[in-house]
Structure formats: structure tokens, C-alpha cells
């Protein structure tokens, strides 16, 4: 697969992920919720390397303080 085709395929996958969930309104982040609303996952995020830690911190706050989701911490 040449580089142009690879770039096009990745752009299409990104578009599908963006369309599959709900925009969070910040950090070009898209979340997907289970049908009953008990689960939430990030399906797309367009972040610079330095933004990842802050995004994870913010998402943990959402889980801890505003939503009744079960949080699966990393090991």
C-alpha cells in the first residue's frame, strides 16, 4: 500500500470514528455510549503528545464526579 492510499484509508477511519459517537466539545474528542448509558468509551481523540495526560485526568474526573460509569484503571 503506498503512502497516499494509507493516508486516505486512515482519514476515512477517523471520519467513521468521529461519526460513531458524541463530540465531547473539547480536544476533538468523541465518546461512544452503551445503549443503556452505563458505559462510555473514547472512540476518537486528535491530540498532541503533551495533551494525553491532561485528557486522561479530565476523563477520570468525569467518571468519578459526574457519571456513574465503572472506571477501569490502567495497571
Amino acid at each position: 500500500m503506498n503512502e497516499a492510499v494509507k493516508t486516505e484509508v486512515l482519514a476515512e477511519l477517523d471520519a467513521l470514528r468521529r461519526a460513531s459517537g458524541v463530540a465531547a466539545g473539547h480536544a476533538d474528542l468523541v465518546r461512544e455510549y452503551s445503549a443503556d448509558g452505563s458505559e462510555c468509551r473514547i472512540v476518537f481523540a486528535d491530540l498532541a503528545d503533551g495533551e494525553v495526560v491532561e485528557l486522561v485526568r479530565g476523563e477520570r474526573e468525569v467518571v468519578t464526579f459526574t457519571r456513574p460509569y465503572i472506571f477501569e484503571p490502567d495497571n
Side-chain angles (χ1 to χ4, degrees):
M1 179 182 310
N2 70 37
E3 204 58 37
V5 171
K6 182 179 175 182
T7 299
E8 184 178 328
V9 169
L10 291 174
E12 289 178 26
L13 289 172
D14 284 347
L16 288 170
R17 288 185 194 113
R18 282 186 176 118
S20 72
V22 179
H26 67 284
D28 203 8
L29 176 76
V30 178
R31 296 183 185 111
E32 178 183 81
Y33 299 92
S34 62
D36 66 359
S38 66
E39 296 178 23
C40 174
R41 67 192 59 78
I42 295 171
V43 293
F44 182 84
D46 187 12
L47 306 168
D49 290 342
E51 298 173 318
V52 174
V53 171
E54 188 59 36
L55 174 75
V56 170
R57 184 178 296 123
E59 289 300 298
R60 285 181 173 177
E61 288 179 13
V62 168
V63 170
T64 304
F65 300 112
T66 63
R67 299 281 187 173
Y69 303 126
I70 297 171
F71 178 64
E72 297 178 11
D74 49 308
N75 296 326

